[in-house]
Amino acid sequence: MDSVALGKTGLTPSVMGLGCGGHSRLGLSHGKSEAEAIEIVVEAVELGINFFDTAETYGTEEIVGIGLQGVKRDSVIISTKAGVHWNDRRCTGPELHDRVEASLKRLKTDYIDVFHLHGVMFEDYAYAREELVPALLQLKEAGKTRFLGITEAFAPDPGHRTLSQAVQDDCWEVMMVGFNILNQSARQRVLPFTKEKGIGTLCMFAVRRALSNDDALREVIDLLLDQQLISDVDPDNPLEFLIAKDVAYSLQDAAYRFCRWEPGMDIVLSGSGNLQHLRANFESLRRPPLPAEITERLTAIFSGVDTITGN
Ligand SMILES: NC(=O)c1ccc[n+]([C@@H]2O[C@H](COP(=O)([O-])OP(=O)(O)OC[C@H]3O[C@@H](n4cnc5c(N)ncnc54)[C@H](OP(=O)(O)O)[C@@H]3O)[C@@H](O)[C@H]2O)c1
């Protein structure tokens, strides 16, 4: 699998990162056991994936810690997060220190490579910048974390209000941004700025629900047609042109490759609790870009969409 430079961090992760959250949470949300979730992490390492994204709220930090136990610490990159809100109110700087210590314990490690503020809402951004960034800088200084990250709450913020603000500050070294075939608005609103500043980028929502479930896809397409945000799409069979010889093997294959080859996107996160999906997605992220005319067609169809995420 290709390695990429994660912005200016000096880290060179695999282009595919294992997403340990999302709707699947390594399968835990679909009734899989902890042992099966650990197996996903171990298999990812065996495939050559070395970037693992988890969070305090996913309930998978311990699983990542166990799955990576037999691996040399500096051969993998661990990314985790904590939200601005905690115990029904905004968290303070000292509390953030405690939460990072708790993550370190669950992950069975003494440092976190990328520590993000998780799903930051626009209304909380100024507070995060003033109260929590100083705490993050102290944690970095103390060697508990290596790089500062921020992730947007894509579902309520599909037009990237938070990250559009965050790219104007100089503290962030990594950003996690929602981007997929259906909502490509990060191309104009986030990626030019992350590229200019050398901020590493992690793509979330490449597939999510709408691109892994035909009914969910039809629902989203109907909504976009109703709102006249798209045209030139067959509502019953909206993306059928992707599954053809010399294009893609499946909708998920197309969706991951679309994100993989987006200029300015460093890592594509893929979340799964299913070993077959994990291996298929790994293969997709090693394949070449979709044919240029297909990428152009997808860009033309969805260029006006910034209100849905495919969640
Ligand atoms: N605000 C934030 O910070 C935030 C928000 C969302 C996500 N994230 C991070 O980003 C990661 C990626 O997001 P995600 O997990 O939602 O992403 P995703 O990779 O776009 O979608 C994963 C979903 O698609 C299904 N899937 C995956 N591969 C498939 C395949 N080949 N065929 C059919 N279905 C497939 C998975 O179910 P199966 O288990 O059945 O494979 C899962 O439900 C998360 O895991 C998390 O680490 C962060």
Side-chain angles (χ1 to χ4, degrees), residues 19-24 30 53 58 81 118-119 151-153 176 204-208 212 252 256 269-274 277 280-281:
C20 304
H23 293 309
S24 182
H30 303 145
D53 179 64
Y58 296 167
K81 354 184 171 66
H118 190 176
T151 82
E152 62 186 350
M176 191 182 297
M204 61 175 167
F205 281 64
V207 162
R208 207 61 177 185
S212 63
Q252 296 78 43
Y256 283 124
L269 295 173
S270 169
S272 186
N274 176 316
H277 290 171
N281 301 342

Side-chain angles (χ1 to χ4, degrees), residues 246-268:
D246 299 330
V247 181
Y249 292 100
S250 66
L251 191 51
Q252 296 78 43
D253 180 48
Y256 283 124
R257 285 163 63 200
F258 183 80
C259 296
R260 156 70 181 99
W261 294 103
E262 174 65 24
M265 203 59 93
D266 296 337
I267 298 182
V268 178

Side-chain angles (χ1 to χ4, degrees), residues 17-304:
L18 184 69
C20 304
H23 293 309
S24 182
R25 294 168 52 245
L26 297 174
L28 295 181
S29 301
H30 303 145
K32 297 263 171 105
S33 66
E34 284 195 8
E36 287 169 302
I38 292 165
E39 210 183 325
I40 296 279
V41 175
V42 170
E43 175 68 11
V45 172
E46 274 172 24
L47 286 169
I49 295 164
N50 68 1
F51 189 96
F52 297 83
D53 179 64
T54 179
E56 181 186 61
T57 51
Y58 296 167
T60 55
E61 286 183 320
E62 278 174 335
I63 285 166
V64 171
I66 296 169
L68 297 183
Q69 255 182 335
V71 173
K72 256 182 81 204
R73 178 63 186 89
D74 64 1
S75 67
V76 290
I77 298 165
I78 299 178
S79 151
T80 191
K81 354 184 171 66
V84 172
H85 287 263
W86 196 57
N87 289 341
D88 296 328
R89 56 174 174 73
R90 285 172 170 169
C91 159
T92 63
E95 285 168 343
L96 190 60
H97 278 263
D98 294 344
R99 292 166 76 194
V100 168
E101 291 293 349
S103 282
L104 287 167
K105 230 183 226 161
R106 287 189 291 269
L107 286 160
K108 303 185 203 325
T109 183
D110 49 13
Y111 68 90
I112 290 158
D113 296 281
V114 187
F115 193 87
H116 308 260
L117 292 183
H118 190 176
V120 179
M121 296 294 291
F122 184 73
E123 301 71 42
D124 291 324
Y125 182 76
Y127 176 83
R129 180 75 190 81
E130 294 312 311
E131 174 73 21
L132 301 182
V133 167
L136 288 176
L137 290 170
Q138 287 163 6
L139 286 156
K140 180 174 170 168
E141 183 69 27
K144 306 278 181 184
T145 64
R146 295 180 68 200
F147 299 103
L148 269 65
I150 181 167
T151 82
E152 62 186 350
F154 193 39
D157 183 15
H160 313 287
R161 285 180 79 205
T162 294
L163 291 189
S164 301
Q165 174 80 42
V167 288
Q168 295 176 36
D169 288 322
D170 289 328
C171 51
W172 308 111
E173 296 166 292
V174 180
M175 288 187 177
M176 191 182 297
V177 51
F179 178 82
N180 58 32
I181 287 173
L182 304 168
N183 182 338
Q184 305 170 26
S185 57
R187 184 180 296 128
Q188 287 81 28
R189 309 228 178 118
V190 181
L191 298 180
F193 307 100
T194 49
K195 224 168 154 186
E196 185 190 315
K197 291 195 157 180
I199 297 169
T201 50
L202 313 177
C203 172
M204 61 175 167
F205 281 64
V207 162
R208 207 61 177 185
R209 192 172 273 135
L211 296 164
S212 63
N213 175 306
D214 291 344
D215 290 338
L217 178 61
R218 270 188 228 105
E219 221 171 274
V220 169
I221 295 291
D222 282 346
L223 181 74
L224 295 176
L225 285 166
D226 272 356
Q227 295 176 343
Q228 300 184 335
L229 289 173
I230 59 170
S231 55
D232 199 19
V233 173
D234 172 0
D236 295 322
N237 237 336
L239 296 174
E240 90 296 341
F241 60 91
L242 292 176
I243 302 159
K245 190 171 172 295
D246 299 330
V247 181
Y249 292 100
S250 66
L251 191 51
Q252 296 78 43
D253 180 48
Y256 283 124
R257 285 163 63 200
F258 183 80
C259 296
R260 156 70 181 99
W261 294 103
E262 174 65 24
M265 203 59 93
D266 296 337
I267 298 182
V268 178
L269 295 173
S270 169
S272 186
N274 176 316
L275 283 169
Q276 275 171 343
H277 290 171
L278 175 73
R279 292 179 192 129
N281 301 342
F282 173 78
E283 290 306 329
S284 293
L285 286 159
R286 296 171 75 191
R287 291 198 181 104
L290 299 172
E293 66 277 13
I294 294 290
T295 302
E296 281 159 23
R297 184 168 170 189
L298 290 170
T299 301
I301 295 172
F302 294 102
S303 63

